[in-house]
Amino acid sequence: MTVPANVVVEKRFTKLLTSIRRDMDTGLKEAQHLLNLARVQTYWKIGCSIAESFLDKDYRSAYRVSLYQKLGEELKLNERVLQKMVQFYRMYPQCPGNTPLTWTHYRHLISVADSKERLKLERRMIKEGVSSLQVTELVRDKNVEALHRVELKGGQLTCARGIPYLYAIRKGTDLNGVPFSPRLDLGFHVAIDSAEAGYIKFINSKLVCSIKEGAGYRLETYKGPSEVLYTYGAWIDRVVDGDTLVARIDMGYGMLTTQRLRLRAIDAPELSTLAGVKAKEYLTGRLKGVERVVVKTHKDPEKYGRYLTDLFVLEGTDDLARIAEEGVYVNQELLDKGLAGIYK
């Protein structure tokens, strides 16, 4: 039986169409890979050029004005992006070769301080084909684990006692590269825009203390370490278990947020056990009758939406500065009483 000519032509056309689509898909993927690779290698070279030209061995600039600010203005680039390029070069002394990872992958990888953990994570990304959309959550979970796993010194947890009402002023640009107004970072992804806050006297500084002054607020430069940021007065609404709380947190400027908090670096037994019930009962009793506590939060929330927290209590006062400086470190207290163990 002879196959009609039009059927033969249609089959040939379908075969041709399939072949073209396959070639286009392959070609576009190869082009995208080459583009991603070029961006990674270009940013590494830029980081290398900045570091070798104007930075000392500690990667500080000796330029008479802000190096990154000046470069950003001339190149129409965000200062923070330039800083990340230098950090990329510093953490990867050898320029990545034919890597399948994109700049988005490396931009998140350089936030992992431990070089061994960073390498393990990089290898996992390559092996599992982690997309640039998945990398944020993966790196965040790794950094949360690092915050949990602190070293003990003489059986004591290490923690930086924070300072209430201390904030960072953030600067940057929008998607079009247009600088936005400086913003006062209150934590918990909340910020006050200087253009909309006439009641706050903004200053040109990175870290600031906020001081109530009449009907407004005055900011003063703080020259200490940034580790003391994100420290707040709070009221405990509920004890969930021996290492988890629900608290109303005073961010300042009349703003409150209710957050689920996970005590950092410790691990209480599960509530399904007698030890877990005992830990919860102790923590509940410990916090009853306390006017206010101080919480020192860390980074973004972990996968269950809880912020890792150091908790401080000082009976008989609601003076946040005193509680932060002199208060009992509850995380350590639970360890000392055998109600919780070190997070592993």
Side-chain angles (χ1 to χ4, degrees), residues 37-202:
L37 182 61
R39 180 177 287 113
V40 166
Q41 294 179 342
T42 298
Y43 285 2
W44 184 91
K45 290 176 183 177
I46 293 172
C48 175
S49 297
I50 295 172
E52 297 297 325
S53 299
F54 274 98
L55 303 184
D56 63 18
K57 64 179 181 179
D58 296 316
Y59 289 88
R60 291 177 298 201
S61 173
Y63 203 57
R64 62 184 178 85
V65 296
S66 171
L67 174 63
Y68 294 109
Q69 179 183 349
K70 186 68 174 175
L71 284 172
E73 290 171 353
E74 295 290 338
L75 299 171
K76 308 301 181 188
L77 287 174
N78 189 310
E79 293 177 45
R80 186 62 181 147
V81 174
L82 290 167
Q83 291 170 347
K84 285 187 177 292
M85 291 177 189
V86 172
Q87 189 180 2
F88 180 37
Y89 164 71
R90 178 167 60 88
M91 292 186 167
Y92 288 84
Q94 296 295 322
C95 183
N98 189 25
T99 175
L101 301 183
T102 68
W103 169 243
T104 300
H105 290 95
Y106 284 111
R107 181 166 56 84
H108 284 88
L109 277 168
I110 59 179
S111 70
V112 180
D114 187 289
S115 59
K116 291 182 179 178
E117 289 297 324
R118 187 169 59 253
L119 180 58
K120 283 168 56 178
L121 194 56
E122 181 181 359
R123 288 172 175 168
R124 179 182 169 186
M125 288 178 181
I126 294 173
K127 182 179 179 181
E128 298 179 7
V130 174
S131 72
S132 56
L133 295 176
Q134 297 169 317
V135 67
T136 304
E137 185 173 346
L138 191 62
V139 172
R140 183 200 64 194
D141 289 346
K142 182 62 65 175
N143 284 332
V144 167
E145 286 182 17
L147 283 169
H148 258 312
R149 295 192 173 99
V150 298
E151 292 184 6
L152 292 176
K153 292 186 178 179
Q156 301 295 302
L157 294 172
T158 56
C159 76
R161 287 178 178 259
I163 299 176
Y165 304 121
L166 179 69
Y167 304 101
I169 293 180
R170 309 294 185 189
K171 299 179 182 180
T173 59
D174 61 20
L175 286 174
N176 297 316
V178 178
F180 53 67
S181 304
R183 296 168 180 173
L184 194 65
D185 179 11
L186 304 187
F188 304 106
H189 304 291
V190 176
I192 297 177
D193 195 314
S194 59
E196 305 294 333
Y199 55 93
I200 303 175
K201 296 180 181 177
F202 272 73

Side-chain angles (χ1 to χ4, degrees), residues 249-302:
I249 298 172
D250 176 13
M251 296 187 289
Y253 303 98
M255 297 188 188
L256 296 177
T257 178
T258 298
Q259 297 288 339
R260 198 175 179 93
L261 307 175
R262 173 67 159 81
L263 298 184
R264 184 182 68 97
I266 68 171
D267 198 12
E270 296 295 326
L271 273 179
S272 57
T273 67
L274 288 176
V277 173
K278 184 178 178 182
K280 178 182 178 180
E281 289 178 346
Y282 176 83
L283 188 57
T284 301
R286 184 73 174 84
L287 298 174
K288 269 187 178 178
V290 174
E291 292 184 60
R292 276 213 285 183
V293 302
V294 164
V295 296
K296 167 77 174 69
T297 61
H298 298 264
K299 301 290 184 180
D300 289 330
E302 35 85 293

